[in-house]
Amino acid sequence: MVRRRGVALVGTLGLAGALVTVIPAMAEESAVPRSAAGPQWTACPKDVVVPPTVQLPVRCAKVPVPLDYDDPDGTQIEIMVSRIASTKPEKRRGVLMFNPGGPGGTGLDQPAFLVSKGLPTGVTDAYDLIGMDTRGVGHSSPVSCGFTADDAYWANIPPYAPDDAAVTRQAEIAKDVADRCAAHDTEGRLRHLSTANMARDLDRIRAALGEEKASFYGASYGSALGAAYTSMFPATTDRVVLDSIVGDTHLDRAGLRRFALGMEQTFPDFAAWAAKRHESYGLGRTPQQVRRTYLTLAERLDEKPAPDGMTGPLFRQVTFGSLYNEIQYANLARLWQTYLNPGGAPQAKAAAAPNPQDNALTVFLAVTCNDVEWPEDVDTYRRAVAQDRKRFPLFGAASANILPCAYWTHEPSEPPVAVNDKGRRNVLILQNRHDPVTPLAGGKLLREKFDKRARLVTVDGSGHGVYVLGGNACALNVTTSYLVDGAMPAGDRNCQRG
């Protein structure tokens, strides 16, 4: 689950100078002192994108962290962080760390990206904006399973399984993927990729930056990382904003299956949009007709893939990813037009297919498989696929399908991070009512788990992402007021469209 830029397919962080008087059992007390010298800031790598509209300088540095926190003085790896520094020392509150999602998404360019999209100056004045590649990603001691663009494995979500045989075929592919990851892991690093360790890294970065506390903004999987971070380190997290909620401190099988619910709830927004434009796209005069068009096309492509390689599972995957933002609706409608006439020459080419990025996919699998136990019995997945194909016919037989986690070499080294509901109220949760990948149910789940520590802002909107990117005035104002002034809503809020 990553930041929206085109069709994103899923599809997710001690005290210095004082001691905590009461530490909940699930919290960790940092023994890491604040750094006096701080990181050495230099020019960022050339692949860190800074949009031309961003006039603020972006610098990068590396922070050492233990590969294995059970052996803190052993092998060290480096986490690369980026910074857009506040230019208003009189207004500066501290640092605001970002995570755009994943797990496996690069985040070095996240501060500049959000500034280019209109991050309010109140936020850039109040904080040094800190992006990063989390452990194993990009410029932070990257890992690899050796994936190539020709691999049969799909990015992050298994393909839609139209029948039991498709689950069996996917199980064979999933086992091969897990075996290859194990074979490529010659330095034994994959087992140390987990949400808990990434949260520990965040506290190390906070200390290296010389800060007693750090604020955090995380979207999609970043919401899980942020939930883990503030649960493990409640005394050193300041203002926490979690956007588009996975539902817990990790992505588990239940969270993955909620993608199907999210598509069922979000698809009607596209269907209504397309129905209003039937004279242009011919997909159906009513939302119900648009839905039938989708199912007809998917089933047709199941039986006979298009000459360009478009299959039923891929068609469903691309449609799912296009629901992340309304700006993608027109391209999706045009793609559907391509396949409405079976005898026509498809205009979309194989480039529309997912092209797995080795590093990002490796990190996704390692973190997802290491965080929790996954069922190993293929029949468990067959039953879930059959159930979700009926409950959620648009996409359920994809997100319930089998992952390489069923065959992963490493068992989780520790239990998943438990949500810590003890401490001051400092967690602001943002959630669209219609979100294809992190539906409202996830936001409600996390709100309930944080209890009095959190407030939930529910937005009458559609798509993946609320703050800045979502375009909702109410949610923008509430979040900015919290980050800048600490104005947490007195109760949960509902934001209407606009």
Short mmCIF file of all heavy atoms in Angstrom, two decimals, residues 306-363:
data_model
loop_
_atom_site.label_atom_id
_atom_site.label_comp_id
_atom_site.label_asym_id
_atom_site.label_seq_id
_atom_site.Cartn_x
_atom_site.Cartn_y
_atom_site.Cartn_z
N ALA A 306 -6.96 -11.29 -23.53
CA ALA A 306 -6.83 -10.45 -24.72
C ALA A 306 -5.46 -10.67 -25.37
O ALA A 306 -4.51 -11.13 -24.73
CB ALA A 306 -7.00 -8.98 -24.33
N PRO A 307 -5.34 -10.33 -26.66
CA PRO A 307 -4.06 -10.53 -27.35
C PRO A 307 -2.89 -9.79 -26.70
O PRO A 307 -1.74 -10.20 -26.86
CB PRO A 307 -4.35 -9.97 -28.76
CG PRO A 307 -5.81 -10.14 -28.93
CD PRO A 307 -6.41 -9.90 -27.59
N ASP A 308 -3.18 -8.71 -25.97
CA ASP A 308 -2.09 -7.96 -25.35
C ASP A 308 -1.69 -8.54 -24.00
O ASP A 308 -0.81 -8.00 -23.31
CB ASP A 308 -2.49 -6.49 -25.17
CG ASP A 308 -3.63 -6.30 -24.20
OD1 ASP A 308 -4.32 -7.29 -23.90
OD2 ASP A 308 -3.83 -5.17 -23.73
N GLY A 309 -2.33 -9.64 -23.58
CA GLY A 309 -1.98 -10.27 -22.31
C GLY A 309 -2.89 -9.91 -21.16
O GLY A 309 -2.71 -10.41 -20.04
N MET A 310 -3.89 -9.06 -21.39
CA MET A 310 -4.83 -8.72 -20.32
C MET A 310 -5.68 -9.94 -19.96
O MET A 310 -6.34 -10.51 -20.82
CB MET A 310 -5.72 -7.56 -20.74
CG MET A 310 -6.75 -7.15 -19.69
SD MET A 310 -6.00 -6.55 -18.15
CE MET A 310 -5.46 -4.91 -18.67
N THR A 311 -5.63 -10.32 -18.68
CA THR A 311 -6.40 -11.45 -18.18
C THR A 311 -7.50 -10.95 -17.24
O THR A 311 -7.51 -9.78 -16.84
CB THR A 311 -5.49 -12.41 -17.40
OG1 THR A 311 -4.96 -11.73 -16.26
CG2 THR A 311 -4.35 -12.92 -18.28
N GLY A 312 -8.38 -11.86 -16.85
CA GLY A 312 -9.41 -11.48 -15.89
C GLY A 312 -8.84 -11.03 -14.56
O GLY A 312 -9.22 -9.97 -14.04
N PRO A 313 -7.91 -11.79 -13.97
CA PRO A 313 -7.31 -11.34 -12.71
C PRO A 313 -6.62 -9.98 -12.84
O PRO A 313 -6.72 -9.14 -11.95
CB PRO A 313 -6.30 -12.45 -12.39
CG PRO A 313 -6.90 -13.67 -13.01
CD PRO A 313 -7.52 -13.18 -14.30
N LEU A 314 -5.91 -9.77 -13.95
CA LEU A 314 -5.22 -8.50 -14.13
C LEU A 314 -6.21 -7.35 -14.32
O LEU A 314 -6.03 -6.25 -13.80
CB LEU A 314 -4.28 -8.59 -15.33
CG LEU A 314 -3.50 -7.31 -15.68
CD1 LEU A 314 -2.73 -6.80 -14.47
CD2 LEU A 314 -2.55 -7.57 -16.84
N PHE A 315 -7.28 -7.62 -15.04
CA PHE A 315 -8.31 -6.60 -15.24
C PHE A 315 -8.90 -6.18 -13.90
O PHE A 315 -9.12 -4.99 -13.64
CB PHE A 315 -9.40 -7.16 -16.17
CG PHE A 315 -10.57 -6.24 -16.37
CD1 PHE A 315 -10.47 -5.15 -17.22
CD2 PHE A 315 -11.77 -6.46 -15.70
CE1 PHE A 315 -11.55 -4.29 -17.40
CE2 PHE A 315 -12.85 -5.63 -15.89
CZ PHE A 315 -12.75 -4.53 -16.74
N ARG A 316 -9.17 -7.14 -13.04
CA ARG A 316 -9.69 -6.81 -11.71
C ARG A 316 -8.66 -6.01 -10.90
O ARG A 316 -9.00 -5.07 -10.18
CB ARG A 316 -10.07 -8.09 -10.96
CG ARG A 316 -11.24 -8.86 -11.58
CD ARG A 316 -11.48 -10.15 -10.81
NE ARG A 316 -12.66 -10.89 -11.26
CZ ARG A 316 -12.64 -11.83 -12.18
NH1 ARG A 316 -11.49 -12.15 -12.78
NH2 ARG A 316 -13.75 -12.46 -12.53
N GLN A 317 -7.40 -6.41 -11.01
CA GLN A 317 -6.33 -5.74 -10.26
C GLN A 317 -6.19 -4.28 -10.69
O GLN A 317 -6.08 -3.38 -9.85
CB GLN A 317 -5.01 -6.49 -10.50
CG GLN A 317 -3.89 -6.08 -9.56
CD GLN A 317 -3.77 -7.05 -8.40
OE1 GLN A 317 -4.76 -7.64 -7.97
NE2 GLN A 317 -2.56 -7.22 -7.89
N VAL A 318 -6.20 -4.05 -11.99
CA VAL A 318 -6.06 -2.68 -12.49
C VAL A 318 -7.26 -1.83 -12.10
O VAL A 318 -7.13 -0.66 -11.72
CB VAL A 318 -5.86 -2.69 -14.02
CG1 VAL A 318 -5.92 -1.28 -14.58
CG2 VAL A 318 -4.52 -3.33 -14.37
N THR A 319 -8.46 -2.42 -12.16
CA THR A 319 -9.66 -1.68 -11.75
C THR A 319 -9.58 -1.33 -10.27
O THR A 319 -9.86 -0.19 -9.87
CB THR A 319 -10.92 -2.50 -12.04
OG1 THR A 319 -11.02 -2.75 -13.45
CG2 THR A 319 -12.17 -1.77 -11.58
N PHE A 320 -9.19 -2.28 -9.46
CA PHE A 320 -9.03 -2.04 -8.02
C PHE A 320 -8.07 -0.87 -7.77
O PHE A 320 -8.38 0.07 -7.02
CB PHE A 320 -8.51 -3.30 -7.35
CG PHE A 320 -8.09 -3.12 -5.91
CD1 PHE A 320 -9.02 -3.11 -4.90
CD2 PHE A 320 -6.74 -2.99 -5.59
CE1 PHE A 320 -8.63 -2.95 -3.57
CE2 PHE A 320 -6.35 -2.84 -4.27
CZ PHE A 320 -7.29 -2.82 -3.26
N GLY A 321 -6.90 -0.91 -8.40
CA GLY A 321 -5.91 0.15 -8.19
C GLY A 321 -6.38 1.50 -8.68
O GLY A 321 -5.99 2.53 -8.12
N SER A 322 -7.23 1.53 -9.69
CA SER A 322 -7.70 2.80 -10.24
C SER A 322 -8.74 3.47 -9.36
O SER A 322 -9.09 4.63 -9.59
CB SER A 322 -8.28 2.57 -11.64
OG SER A 322 -7.28 2.09 -12.53
N LEU A 323 -9.24 2.77 -8.36
CA LEU A 323 -10.21 3.36 -7.45
C LEU A 323 -9.55 4.17 -6.35
O LEU A 323 -10.23 4.77 -5.52
CB LEU A 323 -11.08 2.27 -6.81
CG LEU A 323 -11.91 1.41 -7.78
CD1 LEU A 323 -12.71 0.36 -6.99
CD2 LEU A 323 -12.84 2.26 -8.62
N TYR A 324 -8.22 4.24 -6.34
CA TYR A 324 -7.51 5.00 -5.32
C TYR A 324 -7.83 6.50 -5.39
O TYR A 324 -7.76 7.19 -4.38
CB TYR A 324 -6.00 4.83 -5.50
CG TYR A 324 -5.40 3.62 -4.83
CD1 TYR A 324 -5.99 2.36 -4.92
CD2 TYR A 324 -4.21 3.72 -4.11
CE1 TYR A 324 -5.42 1.26 -4.32
CE2 TYR A 324 -3.64 2.62 -3.50
CZ TYR A 324 -4.25 1.40 -3.60
OH TYR A 324 -3.67 0.30 -3.00
N ASN A 325 -8.15 6.98 -6.58
CA ASN A 325 -8.39 8.42 -6.73
C ASN A 325 -9.25 8.66 -7.96
O ASN A 325 -9.04 8.04 -9.01
CB ASN A 325 -7.06 9.18 -6.87
CG ASN A 325 -7.22 10.67 -6.69
OD1 ASN A 325 -8.00 11.31 -7.40
ND2 ASN A 325 -6.48 11.24 -5.76
N GLU A 326 -10.19 9.59 -7.86
CA GLU A 326 -11.10 9.87 -8.96
C GLU A 326 -10.36 10.36 -10.21
O GLU A 326 -10.87 10.19 -11.32
CB GLU A 326 -12.14 10.91 -8.54
CG GLU A 326 -13.22 11.15 -9.58
CD GLU A 326 -14.32 12.06 -9.09
OE1 GLU A 326 -14.75 11.90 -7.94
OE2 GLU A 326 -14.75 12.93 -9.88
N ILE A 327 -9.18 10.92 -10.05
CA ILE A 327 -8.45 11.41 -11.23
C ILE A 327 -8.08 10.25 -12.15
O ILE A 327 -7.73 10.48 -13.31
CB ILE A 327 -7.19 12.21 -10.83
CG1 ILE A 327 -6.18 11.33 -10.09
CG2 ILE A 327 -7.56 13.43 -10.02
CD1 ILE A 327 -4.86 12.03 -9.80
N GLN A 328 -8.16 9.02 -11.67
CA GLN A 328 -7.83 7.86 -12.50
C GLN A 328 -9.04 7.27 -13.20
O GLN A 328 -8.90 6.34 -14.01
CB GLN A 328 -7.15 6.79 -11.62
CG GLN A 328 -5.85 7.27 -11.01
CD GLN A 328 -5.21 6.29 -10.05
OE1 GLN A 328 -4.02 6.34 -9.81
NE2 GLN A 328 -6.00 5.39 -9.48
N TYR A 329 -10.24 7.79 -12.92
CA TYR A 329 -11.45 7.20 -13.46
C TYR A 329 -11.49 7.25 -14.99
O TYR A 329 -11.91 6.29 -15.64
CB TYR A 329 -12.69 7.91 -12.91
CG TYR A 329 -13.05 7.56 -11.48
CD1 TYR A 329 -12.26 6.71 -10.71
CD2 TYR A 329 -14.20 8.10 -10.89
CE1 TYR A 329 -12.61 6.41 -9.40
CE2 TYR A 329 -14.56 7.80 -9.59
CZ TYR A 329 -13.76 6.96 -8.85
OH TYR A 329 -14.11 6.66 -7.56
N ALA A 330 -11.10 8.36 -15.58
CA ALA A 330 -11.20 8.49 -17.03
C ALA A 330 -10.30 7.48 -17.74
O ALA A 330 -10.71 6.85 -18.73
CB ALA A 330 -10.85 9.91 -17.46
N ASN A 331 -9.09 7.30 -17.26
CA ASN A 331 -8.21 6.32 -17.87
C ASN A 331 -8.75 4.90 -17.69
O ASN A 331 -8.61 4.06 -18.58
CB ASN A 331 -6.80 6.42 -17.27
CG ASN A 331 -6.01 7.58 -17.83
OD1 ASN A 331 -6.28 8.05 -18.93
ND2 ASN A 331 -5.04 8.06 -17.07
N LEU A 332 -9.37 4.64 -16.54
CA LEU A 332 -9.95 3.32 -16.32
C LEU A 332 -11.11 3.09 -17.28
O LEU A 332 -11.23 2.01 -17.88
CB LEU A 332 -10.44 3.20 -14.87
CG LEU A 332 -11.12 1.87 -14.52
CD1 LEU A 332 -10.15 0.71 -14.69
CD2 LEU A 332 -11.66 1.91 -13.09
N ALA A 333 -11.97 4.10 -17.46
CA ALA A 333 -13.10 3.96 -18.39
C ALA A 333 -12.60 3.69 -19.80
O ALA A 333 -13.16 2.86 -20.53
CB ALA A 333 -13.95 5.23 -18.35
N ARG A 334 -11.58 4.38 -20.21
CA ARG A 334 -11.02 4.17 -21.55
C ARG A 334 -10.44 2.76 -21.68
O ARG A 334 -10.57 2.11 -22.73
CB ARG A 334 -9.95 5.22 -21.82
CG ARG A 334 -9.45 5.23 -23.25
CD ARG A 334 -8.54 6.43 -23.50
NE ARG A 334 -8.13 6.49 -24.90
CZ ARG A 334 -7.09 5.82 -25.39
NH1 ARG A 334 -6.36 5.06 -24.60
NH2 ARG A 334 -6.78 5.91 -26.67
N LEU A 335 -9.81 2.27 -20.62
CA LEU A 335 -9.28 0.90 -20.64
C LEU A 335 -10.41 -0.11 -20.82
O LEU A 335 -10.29 -1.05 -21.61
CB LEU A 335 -8.51 0.63 -19.35
CG LEU A 335 -7.88 -0.76 -19.24
CD1 LEU A 335 -6.69 -0.87 -20.19
CD2 LEU A 335 -7.45 -1.05 -17.81
N TRP A 336 -11.51 0.09 -20.09
CA TRP A 336 -12.65 -0.81 -20.26
C TRP A 336 -13.15 -0.81 -21.69
O TRP A 336 -13.48 -1.86 -22.24
CB TRP A 336 -13.78 -0.38 -19.33
CG TRP A 336 -13.63 -0.74 -17.89
CD1 TRP A 336 -12.47 -0.94 -17.21
CD2 TRP A 336 -14.69 -0.92 -16.97
NE1 TRP A 336 -12.74 -1.23 -15.90
CE2 TRP A 336 -14.09 -1.22 -15.72
CE3 TRP A 336 -16.07 -0.84 -17.06
CZ2 TRP A 336 -14.85 -1.46 -14.58
CZ3 TRP A 336 -16.84 -1.07 -15.93
CH2 TRP A 336 -16.22 -1.38 -14.69
N GLN A 337 -13.21 0.38 -22.29
CA GLN A 337 -13.66 0.48 -23.69
C GLN A 337 -12.83 -0.41 -24.59
O GLN A 337 -13.34 -1.01 -25.54
CB GLN A 337 -13.56 1.92 -24.18
CG GLN A 337 -14.66 2.85 -23.72
CD GLN A 337 -14.53 4.21 -24.39
OE1 GLN A 337 -13.49 4.88 -24.27
NE2 GLN A 337 -15.55 4.60 -25.13
N THR A 338 -11.54 -0.50 -24.30
CA THR A 338 -10.64 -1.28 -25.13
C THR A 338 -11.08 -2.73 -25.25
O THR A 338 -10.92 -3.36 -26.29
CB THR A 338 -9.22 -1.23 -24.51
OG1 THR A 338 -8.78 0.12 -24.47
CG2 THR A 338 -8.24 -2.05 -25.33
N TYR A 339 -11.67 -3.26 -24.17
CA TYR A 339 -11.99 -4.68 -24.14
C TYR A 339 -13.47 -4.98 -24.31
O TYR A 339 -13.87 -6.15 -24.26
CB TYR A 339 -11.47 -5.29 -22.83
CG TYR A 339 -9.99 -5.10 -22.67
CD1 TYR A 339 -9.48 -4.14 -21.79
CD2 TYR A 339 -9.09 -5.84 -23.43
CE1 TYR A 339 -8.12 -3.95 -21.68
CE2 TYR A 339 -7.72 -5.64 -23.32
CZ TYR A 339 -7.24 -4.70 -22.44
OH TYR A 339 -5.89 -4.49 -22.33
N LEU A 340 -14.29 -3.96 -24.53
CA LEU A 340 -15.72 -4.21 -24.71
C LEU A 340 -16.01 -4.98 -25.99
O LEU A 340 -16.94 -5.77 -26.05
CB LEU A 340 -16.49 -2.88 -24.70
CG LEU A 340 -16.91 -2.37 -23.33
CD1 LEU A 340 -17.56 -1.01 -23.45
CD2 LEU A 340 -17.86 -3.35 -22.65
N ASN A 341 -15.22 -4.73 -27.02
CA ASN A 341 -15.40 -5.43 -28.29
C ASN A 341 -14.36 -6.54 -28.39
O ASN A 341 -13.19 -6.27 -28.65
CB ASN A 341 -15.24 -4.46 -29.46
CG ASN A 341 -15.38 -5.15 -30.81
OD1 ASN A 341 -15.71 -6.33 -30.89
ND2 ASN A 341 -15.12 -4.41 -31.87
N PRO A 342 -14.73 -7.80 -28.18
CA PRO A 342 -13.74 -8.88 -28.16
C PRO A 342 -12.95 -9.00 -29.46
O PRO A 342 -11.82 -9.46 -29.45
CB PRO A 342 -14.60 -10.14 -27.94
CG PRO A 342 -15.88 -9.65 -27.39
CD PRO A 342 -16.10 -8.28 -27.96
N GLY A 343 -13.54 -8.57 -30.57
CA GLY A 343 -12.84 -8.70 -31.83
C GLY A 343 -11.99 -7.50 -32.17
O GLY A 343 -11.31 -7.47 -33.19
N GLY A 344 -12.06 -6.48 -31.33
CA GLY A 344 -11.32 -5.27 -31.60
C GLY A 344 -9.84 -5.44 -31.28
O GLY A 344 -9.42 -6.38 -30.63
N ALA A 345 -9.06 -4.49 -31.75
CA ALA A 345 -7.62 -4.50 -31.47
C ALA A 345 -7.38 -3.73 -30.17
O ALA A 345 -7.58 -2.53 -30.12
CB ALA A 345 -6.85 -3.85 -32.61
N PRO A 346 -6.99 -4.42 -29.08
CA PRO A 346 -6.78 -3.74 -27.81
C PRO A 346 -5.75 -2.62 -27.93
O PRO A 346 -4.72 -2.79 -28.57
CB PRO A 346 -6.28 -4.85 -26.88
CG PRO A 346 -6.77 -6.12 -27.52
CD PRO A 346 -6.73 -5.85 -29.00
N GLN A 347 -6.07 -1.49 -27.33
CA GLN A 347 -5.13 -0.37 -27.35
C GLN A 347 -4.17 -0.43 -26.18
O GLN A 347 -3.05 0.04 -26.27
CB GLN A 347 -5.92 0.94 -27.31
CG GLN A 347 -6.84 1.13 -28.51
CD GLN A 347 -7.70 2.36 -28.38
OE1 GLN A 347 -7.44 3.23 -27.57
NE2 GLN A 347 -8.75 2.44 -29.18
N ALA A 348 -4.64 -0.98 -25.04
CA ALA A 348 -3.76 -1.08 -23.88
C ALA A 348 -2.74 -2.18 -24.13
O ALA A 348 -3.06 -3.24 -24.66
CB ALA A 348 -4.57 -1.39 -22.63
N LYS A 349 -1.52 -1.95 -23.78
CA LYS A 349 -0.44 -2.91 -24.01
C LYS A 349 -0.04 -3.57 -22.71
O LYS A 349 -0.52 -3.25 -21.64
CB LYS A 349 0.76 -2.19 -24.66
CG LYS A 349 0.41 -1.53 -25.99
CD LYS A 349 -0.17 -2.50 -26.99
CE LYS A 349 -0.56 -1.83 -28.29
NZ LYS A 349 -1.22 -2.75 -29.22
N ALA A 350 0.90 -4.48 -22.82
CA ALA A 350 1.31 -5.25 -21.65
C ALA A 350 1.86 -4.38 -20.54
O ALA A 350 1.96 -4.80 -19.41
CB ALA A 350 2.35 -6.30 -22.06
N ALA A 351 2.24 -3.13 -20.85
CA ALA A 351 2.78 -2.24 -19.81
C ALA A 351 1.77 -1.99 -18.72
O ALA A 351 2.10 -1.55 -17.63
CB ALA A 351 3.21 -0.92 -20.43
N ALA A 352 0.47 -2.27 -19.00
CA ALA A 352 -0.54 -2.07 -17.98
C ALA A 352 -0.43 -3.11 -16.86
O ALA A 352 -0.99 -2.94 -15.80
CB ALA A 352 -1.94 -2.15 -18.59
N ALA A 353 0.28 -4.21 -17.14
CA ALA A 353 0.41 -5.26 -16.14
C ALA A 353 1.33 -4.82 -15.01
O ALA A 353 2.24 -4.01 -15.22
CB ALA A 353 0.99 -6.52 -16.80
N PRO A 354 1.09 -5.35 -13.78
CA PRO A 354 2.00 -5.03 -12.70
C PRO A 354 3.42 -5.44 -13.04
O PRO A 354 3.66 -6.53 -13.55
CB PRO A 354 1.46 -5.86 -11.53
CG PRO A 354 0.03 -6.11 -11.87
CD PRO A 354 -0.01 -6.21 -13.36
N ASN A 355 4.37 -4.59 -12.76
CA ASN A 355 5.78 -4.86 -13.00
C ASN A 355 6.47 -4.87 -11.64
O ASN A 355 6.90 -3.83 -11.15
CB ASN A 355 6.37 -3.77 -13.91
CG ASN A 355 7.82 -4.04 -14.25
OD1 ASN A 355 8.35 -5.10 -13.96
ND2 ASN A 355 8.47 -3.05 -14.83
N PRO A 356 6.56 -6.03 -10.99
CA PRO A 356 7.07 -6.08 -9.62
C PRO A 356 8.45 -5.45 -9.50
O PRO A 356 9.36 -5.77 -10.26
CB PRO A 356 7.12 -7.57 -9.32
CG PRO A 356 6.15 -8.18 -10.26
CD PRO A 356 6.21 -7.36 -11.49
N GLN A 357 8.58 -4.56 -8.54
CA GLN A 357 9.88 -3.97 -8.23
C GLN A 357 10.52 -4.82 -7.16
O GLN A 357 9.97 -4.96 -6.06
CB GLN A 357 9.70 -2.52 -7.79
CG GLN A 357 9.13 -1.62 -8.87
CD GLN A 357 9.00 -0.19 -8.40
OE1 GLN A 357 9.21 0.10 -7.23
NE2 GLN A 357 8.67 0.70 -9.32
N ASP A 358 11.66 -5.36 -7.45
CA ASP A 358 12.29 -6.36 -6.60
C ASP A 358 12.41 -5.89 -5.15
O ASP A 358 11.97 -6.56 -4.22
CB ASP A 358 13.66 -6.71 -7.17
CG ASP A 358 14.44 -7.65 -6.28
OD1 ASP A 358 13.83 -8.60 -5.75
OD2 ASP A 358 15.65 -7.43 -6.09
N ASN A 359 13.01 -4.73 -4.94
CA ASN A 359 13.27 -4.28 -3.57
C ASN A 359 11.98 -4.03 -2.80
O ASN A 359 11.80 -4.50 -1.67
CB ASN A 359 14.13 -3.01 -3.61
CG ASN A 359 14.39 -2.43 -2.24
OD1 ASN A 359 14.17 -1.25 -2.02
ND2 ASN A 359 14.85 -3.24 -1.31
N ALA A 360 11.04 -3.29 -3.41
CA ALA A 360 9.79 -2.96 -2.71
C ALA A 360 9.00 -4.22 -2.39
O ALA A 360 8.45 -4.37 -1.28
CB ALA A 360 8.96 -2.00 -3.54
N LEU A 361 8.92 -5.15 -3.33
CA LEU A 361 8.16 -6.38 -3.11
C LEU A 361 8.84 -7.25 -2.06
O LEU A 361 8.18 -7.88 -1.23
CB LEU A 361 8.00 -7.13 -4.42
CG LEU A 361 7.20 -8.43 -4.36
CD1 LEU A 361 5.85 -8.22 -3.71
CD2 LEU A 361 7.03 -9.01 -5.76
N THR A 362 10.17 -7.29 -2.08
CA THR A 362 10.91 -8.07 -1.08
C THR A 362 10.61 -7.57 0.32
O THR A 362 10.34 -8.36 1.24
CB THR A 362 12.42 -8.00 -1.35
OG1 THR A 362 12.70 -8.56 -2.65
CG2 THR A 362 13.20 -8.76 -0.30
N VAL A 363 10.65 -6.25 0.51
CA VAL A 363 10.38 -5.68 1.83
C VAL A 363 8.93 -5.93 2.23
O VAL A 363 8.64 -6.27 3.39
CB VAL A 363 10.72 -4.18 1.87
CG1 VAL A 363 10.32 -3.56 3.20
CG2 VAL A 363 12.21 -3.96 1.61
#
